[in-house]
Amino acid sequence: MRVTGNRMIDLATGATAAGQTRVASAAQEVTTGLRVTRPSDDPNAYVSAERAKLHKTLVEGSTRAVQTSHEHLAQVDGALATIGESLSQIRSLAIQGNSATYNASDRAQMAEQVRTLFTASLGAANIRSAEGEYLLAGSASLTEPYSTTGAYSGNAPPRDVPTPADPSVRATVSGSARRQATGGRRR
């Protein structure tokens, strides 16, 4: 095979063009920090990278959901503590009021204290999250769960929060669940 001068120039031009393409690709990789910038660079690597981005987004969303749920549970714990303290004080007042040493005026003052404690308990039972949702309303979180008389108007279906380890974790508890746990008795 005879190699002419033109053939040598064509081979050199092709090698130079290929080298320039490799240099440009390496420069882009160094500049962006990415080996694959478009699907045609490496389809398998591109799909893997997109899956990793999606997984990261899902984990971040789940983490935020779990953090928000922890915050909500802390708020509910505080509300239930307030209600428990109010109920304890109401019970003490009822026992005191049953004593013969108190007159009608004393009992009227105790009744006013009970009304105040009831109002405080009602406020705690109608607690709202930072997002404005009622935390003890079940899945009807935009509706105030307890009326001024203390009647429950929320609903029973709880809401679930997705997590990376489990497709869903219970995030809310309805007010009716408390009554069911106590056998329907009011405390």
Side-chain angles (χ1 to χ4, degrees):
M1 170 171 181
R2 185 171 154 199
V3 179
T4 64
N6 286 339
R7 178 71 180 141
M8 294 284 286
I9 292 173
D10 287 342
L11 288 173
T13 303
T16 302
Q20 287 175 337
T21 302
R22 286 193 305 274
V23 168
S25 177
Q28 183 178 8
E29 185 176 334
V30 168
T31 303
T32 64
L34 302 173
R35 185 178 66 82
V36 178
T37 57
R38 45 187 190 272
S40 61
D41 292 343
D42 184 350
N44 290 335
Y46 184 81
V47 168
S48 293
E50 290 301 309
R51 281 187 185 142
K53 282 186 212 174
L54 178 63
H55 180 65
K56 179 182 175 194
T57 301
L58 290 173
V59 168
E60 288 171 354
S62 296
T63 301
R64 278 192 303 275
V66 168
Q67 287 171 343
T68 300
S69 295
H70 281 283
E71 291 166 7
H72 289 180
L73 287 174
Q75 285 182 283
V76 168
D77 281 346
L80 293 176
T82 298
I83 293 167
E85 289 170 17
S86 294
L87 289 175
S88 177
Q89 290 176 13
I90 289 170
R91 184 173 188 210
S92 293
L93 288 170
I95 292 170
Q96 286 176 3
N98 193 31
S99 172
T101 60
Y102 291 98
N103 60 31
S105 174
D106 294 333
R107 287 187 181 100
Q109 288 177 340
M110 287 179 187
E112 186 56 39
Q113 288 177 328
V114 167
R115 279 191 284 280
T116 302
L117 290 167
F118 176 77
T119 302
S121 295
L122 194 60
N126 285 329
I127 188 170
R128 285 182 159 198
S129 69
E131 298 83 23
E133 296 180 305
Y134 291 98
L135 296 177
L136 294 176
S139 63
S141 62
L142 299 178
T143 305
E144 190 172 68
Y146 291 94
S147 70
T148 55
T149 63
Y152 183 68
S153 60
N155 65 11
R159 291 182 296 168
D160 295 334
V161 174
T163 64
D166 189 351
S168 64
V169 172
R170 186 93 343 120
T172 60
V173 177
S174 69
S176 62
R178 185 193 181 302
R179 289 193 65 200
Q180 290 171 357
T182 60
R185 293 174 283 130
R186 289 189 181 190
R187 288 189 158 175

